[in-house]
Amino acid sequence: MAQTRHDLAVPVYDLVGVGFGPSNLALAIAVVEHDDTAGAGVDAVFLERQPGFGWHRGMLIEDATMQVSFLKDLVTLRNPQSSFSFLCYLQECGRLIDFVNHKSLFPLRIEFHNYLEWAATRVDAMVRYDHEVTRVIPVVADGVVEAFDVEARDGSGAVSTFRARNVVLAGGLRPALPPGVTASRRVWHSRDLLTNVERLDGAEPSRFVVVGAGQSAAEVTAFLHERYPRSEIYGVLSRYGYSPADDTPFANRIFDPDAVGEFFAASPRVKSMLLNYHGNTNYSVVDTELIETLYRRVYREKVLGNPRLRLLNVTRLAAADDDGERVAVTLEAMLTGERTVLPADVLVCATGYRPADPFELLGDLAARCERDEHGLARIDRDYRLRTDDGVRAGIYLQGGTEHTHGLSSSLLSNTALRCAEILASALAGRDAAPALSGPVRAGLYA
């Protein structure tokens, strides 16, 4: 196993965050507010491969709204008095009264992204953008892993090392494409919608095919239908139509903070049951208003005799062959097995995401992490990876914990409280551990 021996001359951070999306942004804010109230410094740095803050920029469609209340922002459930709240952002922007008059719990997605950028700017000194983490190396003292060296490569190719008592992995989600499908100039994942639309340079394709039955698929379909008034838009769904999201008050209790602990303590059978019961709060479901909007468009075009928007239900994508000029989209009618080849200028796969592999950066260290019978990481209630007794330093996960902590694993719903738990756990471990080096605060803000 690659390892670095303990060196007292090397400064040590309490936390090194890998990735800087909303989850680790919320953790950075928790660090700032801990320092303000406790008077004790927490040395933290966050490494982000992007050149600046950005969160699903390719899906910031102008009229798309959040599916979660603004009260579940980066801080409010942890600290309702925080100056980092969405309401404080609105006040600073001069839009607080306008938002109140709007009578909505759900801001525009682009507005919430602006809020995240505003918050990220306020903790900018803690972030190293354009730093892609390449590996995490154990630091060994007396046969025990007391820390980690986190290596990151910047845009120039230079490699920097950040030593940490605790690493917080927040690698986000990876776009998932159907089997056998590869992204190209004409085959897109919905994540890159707006970026790829800009690259069309004013051209108007004659036909788009959108695969998927969830919120992103419906939003992409509606957006393309409105953006390109002379194009045909085909939506391909494996069910009879878009299913509405269950956002009713009782069902939403699955995202409550208390539900995390209840889920964690449940048996594997009950966990599986709950995930199946309440998957329709989050997966492959669409806001009712958007469903009705798309249905009205389909019906209106039938009346007018100009059906540009066509939804092919109980149909699946069987293959996609991109010859550089067009994409031959092979569709299979699931009830009959009949296959049809539909030529398209662009195929958009709104086929969801998969969590980042928590072990991909750990190298040989992954062998010292416990796994369950399905090969998934064993994770403690405080979001710390379980390791053997020879690893004293902490590895925490923000995301990829649905199998242990429930549906809110990668969602905003519990981000603020999850970060509070991770920070409290990491600091408890720091206070109990032997001293590794002096403070690094001067280096943090250099």
Side-chain angles (χ1 to χ4, degrees), residues 52-257:
F53 185 87
W55 182 58
H56 295 296
R57 287 186 177 275
M59 282 295 290
L60 295 180
I61 298 170
E62 285 188 2
D63 58 352
T65 58
M66 297 292 292
Q67 278 77 58
V68 63
S69 166
F70 72 88
L71 293 171
K72 294 183 175 182
D73 58 16
L74 298 169
V75 294
T76 297
L77 295 186
R78 174 180 58 80
N79 177 16
Q81 297 178 312
S82 173
S83 68
F84 285 88
S85 71
F86 180 72
L87 291 181
C88 286
Y89 159 75
L90 290 175
Q91 177 71 13
E92 188 169 308
C93 293
R95 289 201 307 271
L96 180 58
I97 299 301
D98 292 333
F99 184 83
V100 172
N101 289 337
H102 193 39
K103 297 182 180 180
S104 174
L105 290 171
F106 309 104
L108 291 168
R109 190 180 298 148
I110 194 168
E111 180 177 34
F112 201 81
H113 187 276
N114 291 341
Y115 155 66
L116 296 176
E117 285 187 306
W118 168 83
T121 299
R122 295 180 61 188
V123 297
D124 192 61
M126 302 173 70
V127 190
R128 303 291 185 268
Y129 290 108
D130 200 21
H131 276 64
E132 182 174 8
V133 174
T134 55
R135 60 176 179 164
V136 176
I137 306 168
V139 178
V140 179
D142 298 325
V144 176
V145 178
E146 298 284 5
F148 305 109
D149 278 347
V150 181
E151 289 190 356
R153 181 181 297 110
D154 66 20
S156 69
V159 176
S160 301
T161 300
F162 303 82
R163 182 160 293 180
R165 294 181 176 89
N166 299 282
V167 174
V168 184
L169 303 178
L173 300 171
R174 304 288 187 264
L177 291 169
V181 175
T182 303
S184 68
R185 190 169 61 91
R186 295 187 177 275
V187 179
W188 309 345
H189 188 275
S190 57
R191 179 195 65 171
D192 304 312
L193 174 71
L194 296 184
T195 303
N196 286 327
V197 162
E198 290 176 2
R199 292 173 180 161
L200 292 177
D201 295 327
E204 184 157 348
S206 61
R207 181 180 292 157
F208 291 89
V209 175
V210 182
V211 176
Q215 181 72 21
S216 293
E219 288 178 356
V220 169
T221 300
F223 169 81
L224 293 174
H225 182 255
E226 184 174 351
R227 175 73 174 257
Y228 299 100
R230 290 183 294 275
S231 300
E232 291 183 329
I233 314 297
Y234 281 77
V236 179
L237 304 88
S238 59
R239 54 185 71 183
Y240 270 95
Y242 299 110
S243 297
D246 185 353
D247 59 356
T248 53
F250 290 118
N252 270 342
R253 287 178 171 176
I254 194 70
F255 302 114
D256 286 356

Side-chain angles (χ1 to χ4, degrees), residues 1-62:
M1 176 186 296
Q3 60 186 30
T4 305
R5 297 201 63 80
H6 178 46
D7 181 358
L8 285 174
V10 178
V12 182
Y13 291 94
D14 297 315
L15 293 172
V16 170
V18 178
F20 198 66
S23 292
N24 268 353
L25 169 55
L27 180 59
I29 295 170
V31 167
V32 169
E33 295 189 335
H34 174 275
D35 287 2
D36 289 343
T37 58
V42 177
D43 297 314
V45 66
F46 296 86
L47 309 174
E48 169 56 49
R49 63 183 174 183
Q50 295 186 101
F53 185 87
W55 182 58
H56 295 296
R57 287 186 177 275
M59 282 295 290
L60 295 180
I61 298 170
E62 285 188 2

